[in-house]
Amino acid sequence: MAVRIPHQRPVGTVTRGTTNPNRLRRMDRWIAAVHGGAVRRGREAVAVDLGYGAAPWTAVELLARLRTVRPDARVVGIEIDPARVQAARPYERDGLVFAHGGFEVPLPGGHRPVLIRAANVLRQYDETEVRAVWERLCGRLASGGLLVEGTCDEIGRRHVWVALGPEGPRTVTFATRLGSLVQPSDLAERLPKALIHRNVAGEPVHAFLRDFDRAWAAAAPLAPLGARQRWVRAVRDLAADWPLDGGPNRWRQGEVTVRWEALAPRGG
């Protein structure tokens, strides 16, 4: 059944719409593993896949992954392009619907989502516009809700995202398929819009990636044991100088999460 919402002009612009099955698996698995408790405790069981693109695969997959932590989870896929919404209608099912909208995050009945996932949506915007979009989206969250906004490559091998609550940004997570990695700074090309232009000398994110590359190089003797062992050692060494969240269980997944305040742009 189609979601019916009051008529209003969507906020935002149409994206390229590029998508692929399983593209957002790293982000989804991190949400379920690290923030599954918040999803379970949320009064609302609804999550939003904002700007899912030309095909609805990511919304379908988000529902399946959230239901591993909350069986009554529901997902609303929201797209600013009405043609994409119509194309997604045949994939609607129990717990999954699609709606026309944008950054205003229209949900029926005044519901507020426990999660908004916005992947590969803000890359076409100016850096100066990001903060206002974050604030708008966080203002739509339910109490204790989470916004996850970031960027990945076309098949989800490399991904960087920011996690935000109603109070603002909390963490930045770097995630990769370790077998494809030459050095950690390869992930710089997937920095979200708030950080991608800050990967220059004098900015914290540049210093972080520099130190990560150095730790990776120092861990080279572990390379014969596999990229996973080398990554874990590099992250462990990095933790001596940078405020990391999580621990070895997440590091072994090819992830590292850094507190936002350590990477926040200077003067921003």
Side-chain angles (χ1 to χ4, degrees):
M1 180 180 296
V3 173
R4 298 190 180 279
I5 57 175
H7 178 74
Q8 56 183 315
R9 184 181 180 85
V11 179
T13 58
V14 177
T15 66
R16 290 172 55 205
T18 305
T19 189
N20 281 302
N22 226 19
R23 186 183 188 187
L24 302 183
R25 61 194 179 279
R26 300 183 194 283
M27 181 185 278
D28 289 353
R29 291 168 182 166
W30 179 84
I31 291 169
V34 177
H35 293 281
V39 172
R40 283 191 294 270
R41 291 189 298 270
R43 182 176 179 181
E44 297 281 3
V46 63
V48 167
D49 185 10
L50 183 63
Y52 56 84
W57 319 132
T58 59
V60 173
E61 293 162 354
L62 180 61
L63 178 64
R65 289 165 184 151
L66 289 181
R67 284 194 165 178
T68 66
V69 297
R70 182 159 178 167
D72 65 338
R74 295 175 287 128
V75 169
V76 179
I78 294 179
E79 249 297 335
I80 199 167
D81 183 345
R84 294 174 184 173
V85 178
Q86 289 304 315
R89 296 287 191 215
Y91 295 88
E92 291 188 335
R93 63 189 70 177
D94 177 41
L96 177 63
V97 293
F98 296 92
H100 180 220
F103 295 141
E104 76 283 3
V105 189
L107 294 179
H111 291 288
R112 291 181 175 271
V114 69
L115 169 71
I116 299 174
R117 186 190 63 184
N120 304 302
V121 171
L122 294 185
R123 288 297 288 268
Q124 67 184 14
Y125 290 84
D126 289 334
E127 181 185 350
T128 56
E129 298 177 276
V130 171
R131 182 68 65 166
V133 173
W134 280 357
E135 290 176 356
R136 178 185 286 271
L137 295 179
C138 285
R140 292 291 297 127
L141 291 171
S143 176
L146 182 74
L147 166 64
V148 182
E149 185 271 310
T151 305
C152 68
D153 65 4
E154 287 73 12
I155 59 175
R157 293 174 304 169
R158 297 173 184 171
H159 207 155
V160 187
W161 60 81
V162 182
L164 307 94
E167 78 286 358
R170 298 172 177 172
T171 61
V172 183
T173 297
F174 299 77
T176 186
R177 183 169 70 83
L178 292 171
S180 70
L181 194 71
V182 175
Q183 57 186 1
S185 60
D186 292 347
L187 287 159
E189 66 184 22
R190 296 302 164 182
L191 286 167
K193 193 67 177 191
L195 294 173
I196 194 165
H197 299 302
R198 301 304 183 117
N199 186 28
V200 294
E203 287 285 347
V205 70
H206 182 270
F208 173 77
L209 290 170
R210 178 203 63 205
D211 288 356
F212 205 169
D213 280 351
R214 289 173 177 171
W216 177 256
L222 293 178
L225 301 178
R228 191 179 311 278
Q229 293 298 323
R230 185 179 181 182
W231 174 271
V232 170
R233 171 60 66 83
V235 175
R236 194 181 301 277
D237 291 347
L238 198 63
D241 298 308
W242 292 89
L244 306 186
D245 278 4
N249 286 340
R250 299 314 308 167
W251 303 344
R252 283 192 286 270
Q253 305 303 313
E255 295 173 7
V256 58
T257 297
V258 193
R259 299 297 301 174
W260 168 260
E261 58 266 23
L263 300 186
R266 296 196 185 281

